[in-house]
Amino acid sequence: MGKKYAIGVDFGTQSGRAVLVEVDTGREVATAVKEYPHGVMDEYLPDGKTKLEPDWALQHPQDYLDVLAETIPAVLKEAGVSNEDVIGIGIDFTACTMLPIDKDGTPLCFYDEYKSHPHAYVKLWKHHAAQDEANRLNQIAAERGEEFLQRYGGKISSEWLFPKIWQILNEAPEIYERAAKFIEAADWIVLQLTGQEKRNSCTAGYKAIWHKRKGYPSKDFFRALDPRLENVVDEKLSRDIYPIGTKAGEITEKAARLTGLKPGTAVAVGNVDAHVAVPAVGITEEGKMLMIMGTSTCHMLLGKEEKMVPGICGVVEDGIIPGYMGYEAGQSCVGDHFEWFVKNCVPAAYVQEAKEKGISVYRLLAEKAQKLAVGESGLVALDWWNGNRSVLVDVDLTGVIVGCTLLTKPEEIYRALIEATAYGTRMIIETFEEHGIPIYELYAAGGIAEKDPFMMQIYADVTNREIRISGSPQAPALGSAMFGAVAAGKERGGYDSIVEAAKVMAKVKDTVYRPIPENVKMYDRLYAEYKILHDYFGRGANDVMKRLKEIKRQATAAK
């Protein structure tokens, strides 16, 4: 028997990527990346005329099909591998990234009559315009004493499924009525590949208030939100939820023409980008936290017991690895944070200097920032440029930098922004530990972990923990390929469980970032200042950020 391969396709915020992996070694043979042609639509629809309101973030589902059509043939061609030797495929997606579809699975935005209707498109994970609905949902759930609320840290986020559906119902009831289903993009891709709607337990558990033993919240609860939502689960979703690590189906003839894969190839049930990365670094037991660091950061952790932790994104049985409680927390602004600064705040002289040195502006800023001693800038920042996901769960919070003077330099601000994200991670770690979930080791994956040793050292110093780095630059795609091998099963040359697959296919680098004691001491002092600001602006002592947002909204509307 020749070599067998699995393919993992990771659908991120800006692009999708496929990786072809040897099943018996975990070696990544080929990778292909496709930038989304429509990108993130946060100002206008593709017609160039339909303007979006603040806090919107949409995508075009055609971009996802383009990823399948281009990256899968590309990795097969690059590696010289026949589709006969690909035993399985797994996919992962950002979440909650959802879209309205008709009964045939066609996205509503594909129809001419809806091309200029914002609610007909994909609502990306970072679509925050459903905050009013999220606030109302949380208020009603709290008043009713709904027990599910505590599993999600006390608040359901505006990023999640039901606030987004409710926003559609409130603002575009015609789209709500026209949609046969609302579906996670992960499950929609699996539907495109297999012809079968197989909703995965990971997105249902973390993003749609579904519980393995108790199901969805009651019809009474949805009726209390809005009488029109009483039957939302049965009419617009599905109660059939399939565990991660199982087979969703096989590649259809239609999907074979799209992807170049062989009909009958096993397809894994869909998964979430952060969660699927956990087994890719070999984490299959409790006490180890994985940080998937990119546009945002997700913090993933396994536990044996279901414990209620304030401000986390959720705890889901079998949500990451079967047999464990999977905990998720996160920061909604990390890579986005630095990109904002580089695009908007770096002087022309720095751009020119980077060009002359043949390096990126990010690299130049890091080199300059690295020369600063800890605390030398006199700055501390809050990492809320895109709201706060954990532990405050409030998208209406905004960014702060304290300590600027006329002598403050760009590299000092850049370092303060990096440190702010590290403080946010420490806040999450401390919250878990205060509620009985110990964290002994940190792991990191994603582009930042792979490419930015300066930032990873800051994280080690701020958290006072050693950090190990994923052996794959494409940890989610590798994890998806592993689940693809599990979907194929041992009989086809794959594995019977993700734990078995992880023993062979997972990998971490030899690199370990260790805390530097003198830096740890100084960061303890700076973190204490961060905590004061965090609680002052984030826990209701001063809601200036929300007041400013409302003034901005009114001024924009008046204009």
Side-chain angles (χ1 to χ4, degrees):
M1 216 166 110
K3 282 277 185 191
K4 295 298 177 188
Y5 301 87
I7 289 176
V9 186
D10 167 42
F11 291 87
T13 300
Q14 303 283 356
S15 61
R17 66 201 63 234
V19 61
L20 181 71
V21 184
E22 283 182 355
V23 171
D24 63 341
T25 65
R27 185 172 76 90
E28 294 168 40
V29 182
T31 301
V33 180
K34 167 76 174 173
E35 298 286 331
Y36 298 144
H38 296 91
V40 176
M41 298 181 286
D42 50 14
E43 293 188 82
Y44 289 93
L45 288 187
D47 62 13
K49 295 182 253 180
T50 307
K51 186 163 173 48
L52 301 174
E53 294 178 10
D55 296 326
W56 277 63
L58 305 180
Q59 288 195 318
H60 201 306
Q62 184 59 47
D63 293 354
Y64 310 150
L65 297 178
D66 291 348
V67 167
L68 295 175
E70 294 184 32
T71 63
I72 294 174
V75 293
L76 292 175
K77 183 178 179 183
E78 181 188 332
V81 167
S82 165
N83 64 4
E84 296 274 346
D85 295 320
V86 177
I87 62 170
I89 178 172
I91 70 106
D92 65 84
F93 228 106
T94 59
C96 165
T97 295
M98 56 82 77
L99 64 156
I101 56 174
D102 70 7
K103 64 181 188 305
D104 299 322
T106 304
L108 296 192
C109 63
F110 281 7
Y111 291 100
D112 287 342
E113 63 195 288
Y114 296 122
K115 282 185 175 172
S116 294
H117 202 310
H119 283 294
Y121 286 82
V122 176
K123 285 182 170 58
L124 184 60
W125 66 269
K126 63 177 182 174
H127 175 88
H128 289 149
Q131 187 60 42
D132 287 347
E133 284 78 7
N135 292 343
R136 184 83 180 120
L137 186 154
N138 288 322
Q139 179 190 342
I140 291 169
E143 288 170 356
R144 288 171 54 90
E146 294 285 349
E147 57 86 26
F148 70 75
L149 211 53
Q150 295 315 307
R151 293 200 306 272
Y152 299 98
K155 284 184 183 176
I156 300 301
S157 168
S158 66
E159 295 179 2
W160 294 4
L161 187 69
F162 288 113
K164 286 172 172 168
I165 290 176
W166 198 6
Q167 185 197 9
I168 294 171
L169 179 59
N170 283 335
E171 298 179 9
E174 69 279 16
I175 295 290
Y176 183 89
E177 290 302 323
R178 178 70 174 80
K181 294 279 180 74
F182 296 102
I183 192 167
E184 282 280 354
D187 298 328
W188 183 72
I189 289 293
V190 169
L191 174 62
Q192 302 310 300
L193 294 175
T194 65
Q196 299 180 67
E197 181 186 333
K198 293 285 184 80
R199 294 179 183 246
N200 74 84
S201 59
C202 188
T203 48
Y206 288 99
K207 311 300 177 186
I209 326 181
W210 175 83
H211 190 273
K212 182 181 176 181
R213 302 177 192 281
K214 299 171 185 174
Y216 288 102
S218 68
K219 288 186 179 185
D220 283 349
F221 169 69
F222 288 115
R223 186 171 62 243
L225 295 185
D226 188 315
R228 299 171 295 172
L229 286 174
E230 179 176 0
N231 297 307
V232 62
V233 173
D234 295 313
E235 291 177 354
K236 302 294 184 181
L237 303 175
S238 173
R239 294 190 188 274
D240 295 327
I241 306 296
Y242 295 84
I244 54 169
T246 57
K247 181 179 170 181
E250 297 179 346
I251 293 289
T252 62
E253 293 284 351
K254 181 181 176 184
R257 290 192 295 274
L258 177 71
T259 64
L261 292 174
K262 186 183 172 188
T265 304
V267 179
V269 166
N271 213 320
V272 180
D273 52 357
H275 305 64
V276 80
V278 174
V281 299
I283 296 177
T284 56
E285 58 193 3
E286 57 190 328
K288 300 175 179 181
M289 175 181 274
L290 173 64
M291 305 177 289
I292 301 94
M293 305 173 73
T295 305
S296 62
T297 292
C298 286
H299 304 76
M300 316 307 302
L301 185 64
L302 301 177
K304 279 291 189 185
E305 301 173 57
E306 184 179 83
K307 295 191 176 180
M308 303 304 149
V309 183
I312 62 165
C313 300
V315 52
V316 176
E317 185 175 355
D318 302 336
I320 302 173
I321 299 289
Y324 285 92
M325 294 293 168
Y327 290 87
E328 177 191 356
Q331 293 167 269
S332 48
C333 186
V334 181
D336 269 357
H337 208 204
F338 315 133
E339 184 182 23
W340 163 81
F341 182 71
V342 167
K343 279 187 173 179
N344 295 285
C345 305
V346 175
Y350 278 54
V351 176
Q352 184 61 33
E353 184 180 348
K355 190 175 178 183
E356 288 169 1
K357 289 185 173 180
I359 59 176
S360 69
V361 177
Y362 293 92
R363 176 81 180 274
L364 179 74
L365 287 168
E367 287 180 357
K368 290 177 179 289
Q370 202 161 358
K371 294 173 183 174
L372 299 167
V374 178
E376 185 181 345
S377 70
L379 303 178
V380 66
L382 292 177
D383 51 318
W384 299 345
W385 264 245
N386 202 21
N388 179 287
R389 188 185 295 156
S390 297
V391 293
L392 298 170
V393 198
D394 192 339
V395 300
D396 284 331
L397 296 174
T398 53
V400 168
I401 305 174
V402 173
C404 292
T405 73
L406 292 175
L407 296 176
T408 298
K409 294 186 170 53
E411 59 267 30
E412 293 176 325
I413 296 175
Y414 187 70
R415 179 166 183 143
L417 295 180
I418 292 174
E419 291 167 343
T421 65
Y423 301 146
T425 286
R426 178 168 167 178
M427 180 70 71
I428 289 166
I429 290 170
E430 289 183 355
T431 303
F432 272 118
E433 296 209 313
E434 285 163 7
H435 291 84
I437 304 169
I439 297 168
Y440 306 115
E441 297 178 28
L442 293 183
Y443 290 70
I448 290 171
E450 178 80 12
K451 300 172 187 172
D452 199 333
F454 169 58
M455 183 165 166
M456 296 319 301
Q457 185 60 52
I458 287 176
Y459 269 62
D461 292 341
V462 168
T463 63
N464 195 21
R465 281 169 174 78
E466 292 187 351
I467 301 176
R468 290 168 173 77
I469 306 299
S470 166
S472 169
Q474 318 290 355
L478 172 60
S480 284
M482 290 163 62
F483 275 103
V486 174
K490 203 166 188 177
E491 283 184 9
R492 289 198 190 182
Y495 299 93
D496 286 338
S497 74
I498 192 63
V499 174
E500 290 300 312
K503 289 175 184 173
V504 178
M505 298 177 74
K507 46 189 146 175
V508 290
K509 289 184 175 180
D510 294 334
T511 308
V512 180
Y513 293 95
R514 295 183 170 87
I516 299 166
E518 55 268 33
N519 290 354
V520 171
K521 287 179 187 173
M522 187 62 81
Y523 275 129
D524 282 345
R525 292 175 61 189
L526 290 166
Y527 177 67
E529 301 300 335
Y530 172 90
K531 279 184 82 170
I532 292 168
L533 293 173
H534 176 281
D535 292 349
Y536 178 65
F537 288 113
R539 299 196 190 273
N542 188 341
D543 283 336
V544 60
M545 296 168 179
K546 298 181 182 186
R547 295 193 297 273
L548 289 172
K549 260 197 157 183
E550 179 57 24
I551 291 169
K552 177 182 178 179
R553 189 192 66 76
Q554 291 173 5
T556 303
K559 187 177 175 185

